[in-house]
Amino acid sequence: ASTVSVENPSWKMRLVVAFSDRPSCYVALHTADVGSLFRSLGATRHFCRVLRLERPQRSDSAAHASLEAEAMRSTVFVGWVGDQALVQGRIEIARPFAECFGLTEGEHVMASAVSDAPVATSIMVQPHSVDDWEVVELRASFIEEHLLSQIAVLTPGMVFVVWIHGQMPIKLRVDPKDSNRTPCFLLDR
């Protein structure tokens, strides 16, 4: 099984999820948090830094009702491209994107930097719903041209959001037949 390495697996930062109105799947971090998370990483050739967000395991009965779904969502990978959060200790995430993972505002996550996520040479995505399919058919070229301005970190089977002209969010999903099988991977120009 393929893995990706956390820069310093023993070092994690506790952050609070805060929703933002940014029409992007990139997260925002406070300057002090950026320094702590990425201090030991050198220069990177990729425009996006990868974060692994781990959610504490829940012990309530609702979590036990769907252990498999909970396990799939207990670790989330996101990208940071320089957006700044206003408050130290918070990770700002667009609400529609956070909802794809079941993240809630005020939830605590443990963040760590990922140093070696592979770059995908190609990616297969599909619309998540019938409504999304209709928008994709009408706006396919826009999505292709603007995808990297909104997301660069994906995982197998991941559902994610793309905004059409910064206003209309639609959901796409990494196709189950996609050949990228590492826990996370990067899109590149």
Side-chain angles (χ1 to χ4, degrees):
S2 298
T3 61
V4 292
S5 299
V6 172
E7 180 56 28
N8 181 351
S10 63
W11 198 88
K12 297 177 183 177
M13 174 182 279
R14 184 178 176 173
L15 297 172
V16 177
V17 173
F19 289 159
S20 76
D21 293 328
R22 285 183 194 89
S24 168
C25 294
Y26 295 116
V27 300
L29 297 167
H30 189 271
T31 306
D33 298 335
V34 169
S36 297
L37 283 164
F38 299 114
R39 70 174 151 228
S40 62
L41 287 180
T44 179
R45 293 180 187 196
H46 200 277
F47 67 93
C48 181
R49 298 283 186 147
V50 180
L51 284 173
R52 173 189 307 222
L53 306 181
E54 296 177 57
R55 302 167 78 184
Q57 295 296 324
R58 296 179 185 167
S59 60
D60 60 22
S61 60
H64 293 299
S66 180
L67 290 176
E68 185 175 319
E70 183 66 25
M72 286 177 30
R73 294 185 302 183
S74 64
T75 300
V76 174
F77 293 92
V78 295
W80 177 76
V81 292
D83 291 335
Q84 298 294 307
L86 298 175
V87 178
Q88 187 173 355
R90 284 195 187 159
I91 183 167
E92 294 178 5
I93 305 174
R95 179 187 304 267
F97 184 53
E99 289 172 348
C100 290
F101 300 117
L103 290 171
T104 57
E105 193 158 35
E107 179 175 355
H108 291 103
V109 294
M110 297 303 291
S112 51
V114 174
S115 61
D116 63 350
V119 175
T121 56
S122 66
I123 179 76
M124 291 174 39
V125 297
Q126 61 188 26
H128 188 252
S129 72
V130 173
D131 291 338
D132 297 327
W133 186 270
E134 292 174 9
V135 175
V136 168
E137 284 182 328
L138 294 171
R139 302 287 186 211
S141 62
F142 177 89
I143 294 167
E144 285 183 32
E145 291 173 23
H146 295 89
L147 188 64
L148 281 175
S149 68
Q150 298 185 40
I151 191 166
V153 178
L154 296 173
T155 62
M158 176 181 178
V159 174
F160 61 97
V161 179
V162 174
W163 284 260
I164 307 300
H165 300 293
Q167 297 178 5
M168 181 190 328
I170 64 160
K171 289 184 181 178
L172 299 175
R173 182 168 88 104
V174 176
D175 193 297
K177 297 174 192 157
D178 185 76
S179 62
N180 298 289
R181 295 287 175 217
T182 57
C184 74
F185 50 91
L186 289 161
L187 301 178
D188 207 0
R189 295 180 166 94

